Amino acid sequence: MSTSICLIRHGETAWNAVRRLQGWQDIELNETGREQARALQSYLSSPAFHMPVDAVISSDLQRASETAAIACQHWDIEIQQVQGLRERGFGKLEGQAWDAAGRHGPDQPDDTVDIDYAVEGGESLRQFQTRVLSCFEALAQDNAGKNLLVFAHGGVIDMVWRKLNQQALNAKRTHAILNTSLNFFSIEKDLNWTCTQWGQLPHLNTALDEQV
């Protein structure tokens, strides 16, 4: 029995727009982000969205939970907040420019990155992925056979993509993870992960630059 998951990135924030590291900082959506969430709500409430939804789960950071609240307001479903779905913790670098995390940005490592290095107060890439994958496998086991709508962050989506595609943590990713993009995958009872669709933006007419 498998658990089907639609994983959605949160809408834009003011820190996204100026490329500042957010990490665990609890930054709200900006107006562009709220517009994206409203566009997503129109899509999710339309016949074009085919997946029945049994539960809505969100990171406990407000940029994700606010996106979920706006996008899912047409359903009478309580939004569960899960700390394990948070963005990677960047410790003392949070609030600084992307460049502080390396030339490819915080979720775009390369083969020179030490996946076990954690900045003071933050998480290494390995620690981050372990947290994220363990969280999804626990959700799948607790919701076996159900369809989940999950709202999280760019780094979280990147960790899932690497698991699904067997990509190393320090391998360069060639595609953007856009705000309010939809990503579909499933986790079987034996914890086998399968990707079905990735990086979908049916509700937006224009693509935005990749943000974290």
Side-chain angles (χ1 to χ4, degrees), residues 3 15 67 86-87 89 114 116 140-141 150 153 172 192 198 202:
T3 302
W15 281 25
T67 303
R86 283 185 176 189
E87 181 59 275
D114 180 355
D116 290 307
Q141 291 176 325
V150 178
H153 306 269
K172 185 176 180 180
N192 181 51
W198 206 255

Side-chain angles (χ1 to χ4, degrees), residues 18-19 24 35 37 62 71 111 113 128 131 182 190 197 201:
V18 296
R19 292 177 174 258
W24 288 10
E35 289 175 0
Q62 65 176 321
D111 58 11
V113 170
F128 176 45
R131 166 169 66 83
L182 286 74
D190 62 0
Q197 285 184 302
L201 273 172

Side-chain angles (χ1 to χ4, degrees), residues 2 10 21 27 37 41 43 58 81 87 93 96 99 106 110 114 123 126 130 136 139-140 148 159 164 209:
S2 67
H10 64 78
L21 284 170
I27 310 303
Q41 191 271 334
Y43 172 69
S58 170
Q81 295 191 12
E87 181 59 275
L93 295 181
Q96 297 187 36
D99 292 346
D110 62 21
D114 180 355
E123 297 174 288
R126 193 190 302 275
T130 297
F136 275 105
L139 289 174
L148 309 181
M159 293 298 101
L164 289 166
D209 290 338

